[in-house]
């Protein structure tokens, strides 16, 4: 009788020179390593190796029409992947390294696998603002395709423990760099046309980007979410197991509740569990807590999650975007 072979446990590496060197050796061999960025933990693979990119899709159970972001260590490396017009250069100068992804035309000799771009003639590029991520990118010496290190459509990871909870035995290693600071994925802006378009709100606010550009961003076309041009555009995404409803002002008995600020919805005493994104109503704190709080609530397996209203400005726009996608029909 054949016996199944148990999966090899994922290594948890320290965020030091030895850990980064071991992670780089895995990546060069075409294996997958999760690593911290300032936004969330990324599931990294050598973006120039088609097999490694395919392994990312397989590990996540991710639709192959959903493009991946290529992470690089500096603007010189970014220019080898994509073509930057004047507006894209202005945004790169202002926000890189940082939580902003730019979608630009692929360079003619771009080494990134076309699978990472989902067959499109554009590429999504980011320089992360995290010392561990940058050290890893410099050590491995190639762009890393790195979506969030979790099963596709699920809640993004903000600690190494979250990654291990989802992908232990599936990937080679995770570098433990502690909890992420921003806690939301990067903002994605398309620079493929004369006027930049906001494809996904995230860790860099629309207002900050528009101040640098001196113009308003075009809004994303939600009708095109079935064939996304960047990560995070699928209608249902970032979803916990439990159903989620937004802007809750009344609580149904047995619901778990995610609050914001000091407002208390009616019937809160009937909640199965209560957590607060930010008692003081701080959107930066709320963004950092969003995914970790959703994971903690979801682990209790509530029947549903009710989320109190969150202001829809600055980082609140990105928080509400994630909540809308988590609440979408699946």
């Amino acid at each position: 009788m054949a016996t199944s072979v148990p999966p090899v446990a994922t290594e948890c590496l320290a965020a030091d020179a030895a850990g980064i060197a071991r992670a780089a050796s895995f990546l060069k061999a075409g294996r997958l390593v999760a690593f911290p960025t300032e936004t969330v933990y990324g599931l990294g693979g050598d973006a120039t190796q088609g097999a490694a990119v395919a392994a990312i899709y397989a590990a996540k159970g991710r639709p192959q029409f959903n493009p991946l972001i290529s992470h690089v260590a500096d603007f010189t490396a970014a220019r080898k992947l994509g073509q930057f017009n004047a507006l894209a250069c202005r945004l790169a100068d202002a926000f890189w390294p940082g939580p902003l992804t730019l979608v630009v035309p692929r360079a003619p000799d771009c080494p990134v696998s076309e699978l990472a771009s989902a067959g499109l003639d554009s590429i999504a590029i980011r320089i992360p603002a995290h010392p561990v991520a940058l050290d890893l990118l410099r050590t491995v010496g190639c762009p890393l395709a790195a979506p969030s290190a979790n099963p596709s459509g699920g809640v993004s990871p903000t600690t190494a423990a979250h990654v291990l909870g989802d992908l232990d035995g599936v990937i080679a290693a995770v570098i433990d760099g502690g909890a992420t600071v921003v806690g939301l994925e990067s903002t994605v802006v398309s620079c493929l046309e004369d006027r930049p378009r906001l494809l996904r709100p995230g860790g860099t606010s629309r207002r900050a980007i528009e101040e640098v550009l001196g113009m308003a961003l075009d809004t994303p076309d939600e009708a095109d979410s079935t064939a996304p041009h960047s990560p995070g555009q699928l209608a249902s995404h970032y979803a916990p197991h439990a159903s989620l409803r937004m802007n809750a002002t009344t609580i149904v008995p047995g619901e778990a509740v995610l609050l914001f600020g000091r407002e208390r919805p009616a019937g809160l005493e009937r909640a199965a569990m209560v957590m607060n994104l930010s008692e003081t109503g701080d959107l930066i704190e709320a963004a950092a807590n969003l995914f970790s709080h959703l994971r903690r609530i979801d682990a209790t397996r509530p029947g549903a999650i009710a989320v109190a209203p969150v202001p829809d400005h600055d980082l609140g726009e990105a928080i509400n975007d994630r909540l809308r996608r988590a609440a979408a029909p699946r």
Side-chain angles (χ1 to χ4, degrees):
M1 179 182 294
T3 58
S4 60
V5 178
V8 177
T10 295
E11 293 186 26
C12 189
L13 305 174
D16 56 16
I20 288 170
R22 180 143 178 85
S25 70
F26 283 134
L27 290 163
K28 290 175 182 178
R31 300 184 69 187
L32 306 184
V33 174
F35 61 94
T37 76
E38 77 280 21
T39 57
V40 299
Y41 273 69
L43 177 54
D46 183 344
T48 69
Q49 297 187 39
V53 175
I56 293 174
Y57 286 121
K60 287 181 65 69
R62 184 185 184 98
Q64 292 193 11
F65 53 75
N66 199 0
L68 304 178
I69 297 171
S70 291
H71 294 67
V72 294
D74 53 47
F75 197 26
T76 298
R79 284 184 176 276
K80 294 177 181 178
L81 308 186
Q83 303 175 73
F84 290 76
N85 62 22
L87 291 176
C89 287
R90 192 184 304 175
L91 292 175
D93 288 342
F95 297 110
W96 278 357
L100 176 68
T101 294
L102 297 178
V103 178
V104 297
R106 282 175 65 105
D109 54 353
C110 177
V112 170
S113 165
E114 290 190 2
L115 183 60
S117 297
L120 300 171
D121 57 5
S122 58
I123 185 169
I125 307 173
R126 184 166 96 85
I127 302 176
H130 194 290
V132 174
L134 291 172
D135 282 350
L136 179 63
L137 285 161
R138 295 185 189 107
T139 302
V140 75
C142 67
L144 294 180
S148 58
N150 60 285
S152 185
V155 180
S156 298
T158 56
T159 67
H162 292 162
V163 176
L164 291 171
D166 288 337
L167 298 174
D168 189 16
V170 176
I171 63 176
V174 56
I175 303 174
D176 188 351
T180 61
V181 176
V182 177
L184 284 173
E185 294 86 358
S186 61
T187 301
V188 181
V189 172
S190 170
C191 296
L192 299 174
E193 297 139 3
D194 292 339
R195 193 178 188 89
R197 295 177 63 217
L198 178 68
L199 298 182
R200 179 181 75 182
T204 302
S205 72
R206 177 199 295 263
R207 179 165 59 181
I209 294 168
E210 290 178 343
E211 286 178 356
V212 168
L213 291 174
M215 68 174 74
L217 287 167
D218 281 352
T219 54
D221 182 2
E222 294 295 337
D224 196 35
S225 62
T226 57
H229 293 277
S230 82
Q233 284 190 286
L234 292 175
S236 177
H237 209 65
Y238 315 109
H241 291 92
S243 61
L244 183 147
R245 66 185 183 95
M246 298 174 61
N247 300 314
T249 56
T250 302
I251 303 308
V252 175
E255 283 184 317
V257 180
L258 191 56
L259 300 174
F260 176 80
R262 295 190 171 89
E263 293 296 322
R264 297 295 181 264
L268 186 62
E269 70 280 357
R270 298 175 291 190
M273 180 182 186
V274 179
M275 297 193 74
N276 200 317
L277 291 170
S278 174
E279 287 278 357
T280 61
D282 185 324
L283 288 170
I284 295 175
E285 180 185 17
N289 286 333
L290 177 62
F291 290 137
S292 61
H293 281 19
L294 279 175
R295 281 176 173 270
R296 285 183 61 186
I297 289 175
D298 204 39
T300 69
R301 292 295 185 263
I305 302 172
V307 184
V310 176
D312 203 34
H313 61 78
D314 296 326
L315 280 180
E317 181 181 18
I319 293 169
N320 282 312
D321 172 80
R322 303 308 189 273
L323 290 172
R324 277 191 294 272
R325 295 178 192 276
R330 306 170 196 176

